[in-house]
Amino acid sequence: MDSAPKRIKKKLSCCEITLIVLGSLSAVMGIVMVSGGYQAMFDAIMKSQMAVAEGSASYDMWRVPPMPLYLQVYFFNISNPDEFVKGAKPILQEVGPFCYREYHEKKEIVFHPNNTVTFFQQRWWIWDAEMSGNHTVDDIIDNVMNETGPYHPILPILPIPPGIKDYDRFGWFYGRNLSLSYDGQFNMMTGEDTLDNLGAIDWWNKTRETQFFDYPCNVVEGSAGEMWPPNLQKDFVQFYSSDLCMTMKLHYKEEIEDSHGISGYRYWGSNLTFANGSVVAGNECYCVKGTCAPTGLLSGESCRMGSPSYISFPHFLNADPYLLDTVEGLDPQEDKHAFVMDMIPELGTPMWVAARMQINMLVRPYPGNALGRGKIELVVVFSLF
Ligand SMILES: *[C@@H]1O[C@H](CO)[C@@H](O)[C@H](O)[C@H]1NC(C)=O
Ligand SMILES: *[C@@H]1O[C@H](CO)[C@@H](O)[C@H](O)[C@H]1NC(C)=O
Ligand SMILES: *[C@@H]1O[C@H](CO)[C@@H](O)[C@H](O)[C@H]1NC(C)=O
Ligand SMILES: *[C@@H]1O[C@H](CO)[C@@H](O)[C@H](O)[C@H]1NC(C)=O
Ligand SMILES: *[C@@H]1O[C@H](CO)[C@@H](O)[C@H](O)[C@H]1NC(C)=O
Ligand SMILES: *[C@@H]1O[C@H](CO)[C@@H](O)[C@H](O)[C@H]1NC(C)=O
Ligand SMILES: *[C@@H]1O[C@H](CO)[C@@H](O)[C@H](O)[C@H]1NC(C)=O
Ligand SMILES: CC(=O)N[C@H]1CO[C@H](CO)[C@@H](O)[C@@H]1O
């Protein structure tokens, strides 16, 4: 069936901003912390333990995170494709999870005299049959990784609109597995001079202001994604995400306690994280080429090679509720779908992270395509949670 001559090739990558959990370091530091009154000693130990320098306690864990990381992908099958192209609401059926173990390793690490370190981050994914239940790797190969096959039931019946002619395929992992350069190059503050900037990003891919959004939405700031300065406040934490091409802000939600009795602060992707300019003044700079998204969606157009993609939280959690009405079959639930990061505030160290995201594709009617309602449709392609 090749009425679909071309499909969008896309390094959509995105989204599993899996963050390092410096677990064993946290446990050790937890004991040190209860000895109050030794602030200077504590600070000195803390600095020698936490700053990233060759031979420091955190160096090896920073270079190759020892904590298990997982990538779980869910797809949405459009179960009424024929009706959909004639204008019916798409009926979505969640299929998954497809599970991978994810591995990270920092490469080409260079420390500089100004207490920064430059590196690339290599990531790779190994299929995890056990966690994937009844789904086999063949299913996902047919869905995302097969560079000759269809990535989704809907695309073969939707020809690529005129004007998009540079791409012929669409693949989530396209060119990404084991790539050194895909995530770009990072320069990060090591915290050796002061822990106040521990783990903060200095520049990404040689720039402090990217081309992806207008100023100031394009400013590279926040953590590089793994460590934060000690003594977090109950407001927000932020990190630069090369996957989303923006600095992502997670807002304080509540105090939590994990199963080992370690208490922490929970930060999450709230309804402000992807708020548009009507909801949060100033966020107009996330509009791309004059097009502003409904609140709760981040455009991936400039970040992902011109693809009509939008990032949201899974099942449009914390987004404009009207989005739920454009499809059938979604049901946002905080415990399943929220982007959550639990932190030990005294250390600025994550204890548990669920980086949950959803990739959506914009599908519009255009001359020569039967998609009938004359209305822009946002089609959910897949979710990571
Ligand atoms: C997806 O939907 C199509 C059309 O209803 C159906 O034939 C197919 O079996 C579904 N696939 C999965 C994996 O549920
Ligand atoms: C630190 O030095 C590196 C290497 O010269 C440079 O790329 C970076 O911009 C410097 N950062 C600061 C904050 O001075
Ligand atoms: C990534 O590369 C490794 C090593 O070649 C391989 O074992 C693994 O299956 C690849 N993962 C994906 C998702 O292609
Ligand atoms: C990729 O998809 C095509 C078309 O569906 C199929 O013929 C081919 O066998 C698939 N390749 C792999 C490696 O699964
Ligand atoms: C980083 O910059 C280089 C050189 O300008 C460019 O080729 C590469 O595509 C950029 N990487 C990313 C992830 O944008
Ligand atoms: C965001 O959520 C909070 C509650 O968590 C609510 O009070 C507020 O009205 C929401 N804001 C928007 C713009 O939806
Ligand atoms: C922002 O989102 C709201 C709610 O989704 C929408 O009504 C409004 O038009 C959006 N603002 C812009 C500038 O598009
Ligand atoms: C890994 C796993 O759970 N595999 C199961 C997938 O489903 C078939 C049929 O239901 C089982 O036989 C496998 O054990």
Side-chain angles (χ1 to χ4, degrees), residues 167-349:
Y167 309 115
D168 59 354
R169 289 176 215 140
F170 182 105
W172 176 259
F173 287 97
Y174 190 79
R176 176 150 217 205
N177 197 35
L178 284 169
S179 167
L180 259 198
S181 58
Y182 192 94
D183 284 347
Q185 192 179 31
F186 295 80
N187 197 50
M188 185 191 89
M189 314 281 190
T190 61
E192 277 206 286
D193 47 348
T194 160
L195 289 179
D196 290 347
N197 58 22
L198 172 70
I201 196 161
D202 178 26
W203 49 252
W204 174 79
N205 221 20
K206 303 235 151 67
T207 185
R208 294 188 175 99
E209 289 178 22
T210 68
Q211 304 297 308
F212 303 119
F213 299 105
D214 292 337
Y215 182 84
C217 293
N218 64 344
V219 172
V220 176
E221 59 184 341
S223 161
E226 293 156 350
M227 291 173 284
W228 280 259
N231 300 317
L232 296 175
Q233 303 302 302
K234 290 183 172 179
D235 46 9
F236 62 86
V237 291
Q238 59 180 358
F239 59 93
Y240 185 74
S241 164
S242 60
D243 279 320
L244 304 189
C245 302
M246 51 99 75
T247 290
M248 189 174 185
K249 215 178 244 194
L250 302 177
H251 297 268
Y252 175 78
K253 188 167 195 290
E254 61 205 356
E255 290 187 5
I256 49 101
E257 193 171 287
D258 78 1
S259 54
H260 306 290
I262 300 174
S263 58
Y265 292 174
R266 171 162 293 178
Y267 297 85
W268 74 318
S270 72
N271 59 8
L272 300 179
T273 301
F274 296 137
N276 74 10
S278 312
V279 175
V280 171
N283 280 4
E284 294 83 3
C285 50
Y286 288 112
C287 300
V288 174
K289 293 188 194 150
T291 303
C292 306
T295 198
L297 297 181
L298 175 76
S299 172
E301 182 175 344
S302 54
C303 175
R304 296 295 160 197
M305 303 168 75
S307 69
S309 60
Y310 289 84
I311 312 305
S312 68
F313 296 118
H315 288 226
F316 294 129
L317 181 76
N318 288 337
D320 188 330
Y322 105 86
L323 292 166
L324 280 176
D325 212 42
T326 61
V327 294
E328 234 166 86
L330 297 187
D331 176 23
Q333 291 171 33
E334 250 175 60
D335 58 338
K336 275 162 80 177
H337 303 131
F339 189 128
V340 169
M341 188 154 76
D342 293 344
M343 307 281 288
I344 302 174
E346 297 84 353
L347 300 172
T349 305

Side-chain angles (χ1 to χ4, degrees), residues 138 141-142 146-150:
D138 292 339
I141 281 180
D142 281 345
N146 183 348
E147 290 172 8
T148 59

Side-chain angles (χ1 to χ4, degrees), residues 129-130 133-134:
E130 220 170 279
N134 291 334

